[in-house]
Amino acid sequence: MTKPYDVFDAAAADYDSVGVDFVGPMGSALVAAAGIRAGERVLDVGCGRGAVLFPAAAAVGPSGSVTGIDMAPAMVVLTRAAAAGLPQVTVTVGDGQAPDFPAGSFDVVALGLVLFFLPDPEAALRAYLRLLRPGGRLAFSCFAAFDPGYREAMRVIGEHTDEPSQQPKLPAMFDSEDTLRSAVGAAGFADVTIGDLTVRSEFRDLEHFLAWVDSHAGRTVLRRVPAERRPGLLAALAPVLPDPPAMSTGVRLVGAVRPAG
């Protein structure tokens, strides 16, 4: 049976590795927004190829620790190998919905573009509250606005598959800043802050754009396009995206604190 993380397991070798600024800038911005400091203990949930993990490791230094967990074994293998020279980093397979660590184990729990993939984001937030020490911090990123060109491109790709499907909608808690604040507060967190980030991604040509789509969750749609329809897909994408292709993605950077009481 296909599992939700299978697409990331399959894309692990190319994930965030096709020469496009996307996940990396978001991860660095999240670490900066979280104010991670030397000596702190950080849990990176859904660490992927390390967009949050490596900036966090640099921030905590040798006196701190960063534990990365991911449900995709291939992601874990590759990121663990990349972190081999960092003694403060541990990378292991783990469940982002309910990480298996003792209460109060971390100063910071961070998630880069992960929370909306989980089966029950609200329950996950309550689990992270338990993992934080009193006064510990939650930091996560989520999408705020997709580039209209990207949305149209994914629609066009879907039309060239054998089984067209609707683009997935994020859970309701991600609809607005108000719904985010409400959900994070309901999980027991205080001092909720939300910042904005826009990431500009540029591509050499349409084939480079499709290689990028294939390197993340979009491959679930792209891999359903039969080979004989690829030329038609490229022709249909040409009027949808600028030449050369580029897009801007809006992201929210959410921070909160476990109350000290």
Side-chain angles (χ1 to χ4, degrees):
M1 187 173 90
T2 301
K3 302 178 181 64
Y5 59 82
D6 282 349
V7 61
F8 296 104
D9 204 44
D14 295 323
Y15 188 78
D16 199 32
S17 303
V18 295
V20 177
D21 287 331
F22 190 69
V23 179
M26 296 178 193
S28 296
L30 183 63
V31 169
I36 296 173
R37 302 181 291 269
E40 290 194 308
R41 303 161 299 162
V42 179
L43 175 65
D44 178 11
V45 178
C47 63
R49 293 295 302 275
V52 171
L53 184 137
F54 290 112
V60 303
S63 62
S65 66
V66 180
T67 301
I69 63 171
D70 203 290
M71 286 292 288
M75 289 284 198
V76 169
V77 169
L78 292 167
T79 304
R80 182 186 291 154
L86 299 172
Q88 71 269 41
V89 173
T90 302
V91 185
T92 187
V93 174
D95 182 3
Q97 180 68 48
D100 187 15
F101 298 97
S105 292
F106 301 99
D107 300 296
V108 180
V109 173
L111 305 89
L113 302 180
V114 170
L115 188 59
F116 46 78
F117 283 117
L118 299 179
D120 189 341
E122 290 91 344
L125 289 173
R126 295 191 294 272
Y128 306 150
L129 185 77
R130 184 188 69 84
L131 296 181
L132 287 166
R133 63 164 174 80
R137 309 185 306 283
L138 170 74
F140 68 89
S141 58
C142 58
F143 293 114
F146 292 102
D147 191 289
Y150 171 74
R151 286 191 175 278
E152 181 65 7
M154 292 306 298
R155 184 192 65 78
V156 169
I157 293 171
E159 287 183 344
H160 284 74
T161 66
D162 287 327
E163 300 175 9
S165 60
Q166 289 188 336
Q167 296 183 36
K169 188 178 186 305
L170 299 183
M173 67 171 277
F174 299 97
D175 284 348
S176 68
E177 290 193 9
D178 288 342
T179 55
L180 274 172
R181 289 182 190 278
S182 177
V184 175
F189 288 95
D191 301 329
V192 181
T193 62
I194 301 178
D196 295 318
L197 173 72
T198 300
V199 173
R200 180 73 172 172
S201 304
E202 299 179 348
F203 310 87
R204 294 186 301 273
D205 50 32
L206 289 174
E207 285 287 5
H208 190 205
F209 171 75
L210 291 179
W212 174 77
V213 171
D214 194 55
S215 74
H216 60 72
R219 73 186 282 137
T220 58
V221 180
L222 184 59
R223 289 293 175 104
R224 297 204 306 271
V225 177
E228 64 272 16
R229 294 185 189 171
R230 183 89 169 196
L233 170 60
L234 290 168
L237 286 173
V240 169
L241 295 168
D243 183 16
M247 66 182 193
S248 296
T249 305
V251 177
R252 292 189 177 104
L253 304 174
V254 183
V257 177
R258 176 181 174 177

